[in-house]
Structures are given as structure tokens and as C-alpha cells.
Amino acid sequence: NHSSHSHSQSVTNVNLCCVGSRAEANLPDEYWREFLIATNCFHFDPSRSSQRIQSIHWTIDCIGPEISSHLKTRHIHIIKDEDSKSEARTQCVPHSTLTLNYHRGLLHHHVLDLYKSDKGNVNDILQKWNGFMLFNPGIGHPHLESSWKPTVEFMLKTKQRILTTAHSEVDSERDW
């Protein structure tokens, strides 16, 4: 009988969208487990034993024109150490599950497909993701700029956080 039974537990879903996904979609499961382990390092304070234990389930939708059609939804888990003598260790692995979904195409086309489907509530679509990640997207590149415009407009309309990276300072300045 683990003491975690005496604590109340709730589940929070964090939904992120990796826009323009390429290599990120092909990362092995071990990399995503490391992500879950790292998020736990910043989440729980074992000295607060009365802290409400919250389970956090991550979902990342990888969307991009270079997504391989053979990729299927993956579920990544890290396991609680049930044999551990440390009460804090067995109680707290709040970030233990991740679902990766794959969608080939452009984000604004995916959003339009969602709108046309049975799930076509505009407010639900605007709130589908808690944030967006764009790794070296090339938004401002002269050959890509026009295809990014509707996607960027959608992301800005959601008022959610956007994390971007760039290959260089020149790319960064050009992208935003």
C-alpha cells in the first residue's frame, strides 16, 4: 500500500503543436523519455508532502509537409519506481506520459480540415494547443514566406505562446 493513495490526484493535459516538424518527428522514444524526465526535475518539491499530486499528460502534434506518411501515433511512458523505498520517488512522477501525433501538411490546412470535420467549433480549434514550437522554421525565407503567412496568422490569433529557434542571427531576424 503506497502512501500515494492518500493524496488526491488530478490530470492536466498539455497540448503542444510542433509546426513545420521535420527531424523532431523522427526522434527515437528515448529522447522523448528524457524530455519527460527533465520536466519532472522542474516540477515537484518533495519537501511539501501535502502538495497535491498532479499528473500531467503531454500531447505533441507534429505537423509539417515533410512528415512521413508511415508515422503513426506513439505513446511514450516513463515508469514510476514502485520498488523504491523513497516515498517521494514513488509518489511523484507527474510527467510520465506523452502522446505524439503526426499530420502531414501545413498547419493552416490541418486547421481547415478540423473546422470542416465534426469537430468544427472555432473556439475549440483556437484553444486546441497550449503553445507552438517551431524549430528553425524559415518563416522569413524568400522562398517560404508566402506559405507560412496563413499559419503564422492562425498561431497569432490563438494568443498562445510560440517558441522558435533559428540557425543563425540572420535567420532569427528574418523570421520575426
Side-chain angles (χ1 to χ4, degrees):
N1 186 12
H2 294 284
S3 61
S4 62
H5 293 260
S6 64
H7 293 272
S8 59
Q9 186 167 4
S10 65
V11 177
T12 297
N13 293 308
V14 178
N15 302 306
L16 299 176
C17 184
C18 186
V19 183
S21 181
R22 296 177 303 268
E24 307 82 22
N26 295 301
L27 289 173
D29 291 359
E30 293 75 30
Y31 284 67
W32 294 110
R33 282 191 192 92
E34 288 291 329
F35 164 77
L36 291 170
I37 290 166
T39 57
N40 283 298
C41 293
F42 300 104
H43 185 265
F44 184 73
D45 180 359
S47 67
R48 296 176 56 201
S49 59
S50 64
Q51 181 174 348
R52 181 185 175 112
I53 298 170
Q54 185 177 47
S55 178
I56 296 162
H57 176 77
W58 292 81
T59 299
I60 299 177
D61 290 322
C62 295
I63 301 176
E66 297 179 30
I67 296 287
S68 173
S69 58
H70 79 276
L71 290 173
K72 304 296 178 216
T73 295
R74 290 191 291 168
H75 302 283
I76 314 291
H77 305 277
I78 56 174
I79 308 300
K80 294 180 183 180
D81 185 357
E82 297 297 337
D83 297 326
S84 173
K85 302 293 184 223
S86 167
E87 184 176 310
R89 180 154 170 80
T90 58
Q91 284 181 27
C92 183
V93 184
H95 302 270
S96 61
T97 61
L98 166 66
T99 299
L100 293 163
N101 298 310
Y102 303 97
H103 308 279
R104 185 181 180 108
L106 302 175
L107 175 62
H108 58 276
H109 291 159
H110 180 70
V111 167
L112 185 59
D113 290 344
L114 288 173
Y115 182 74
K116 289 178 179 176
S117 75
D118 294 339
K119 305 171 194 135
N121 181 316
V122 173
N123 287 330
D124 288 347
I125 294 170
L126 287 172
Q127 298 306 311
K128 179 172 176 55
W129 295 287
N130 302 104
F132 300 92
M133 304 175 295
L134 295 87
F135 298 105
N136 310 321
I139 292 170
H141 190 280
H143 299 294
L144 302 172
E145 194 171 13
S146 63
S147 64
W148 273 108
K149 188 174 189 320
T151 289
V152 170
E153 288 172 354
F154 169 76
M155 290 187 300
L156 293 173
K157 188 177 276 191
T158 69
K159 298 185 181 352
Q160 299 294 348
R161 291 179 174 101
I162 301 171
L163 168 75
T164 63
T165 63
H167 284 292
S168 67
E169 191 174 332
V170 171
D171 279 348
S172 177
E173 289 172 3
R174 184 173 54 196
D175 282 352
W176 295 103

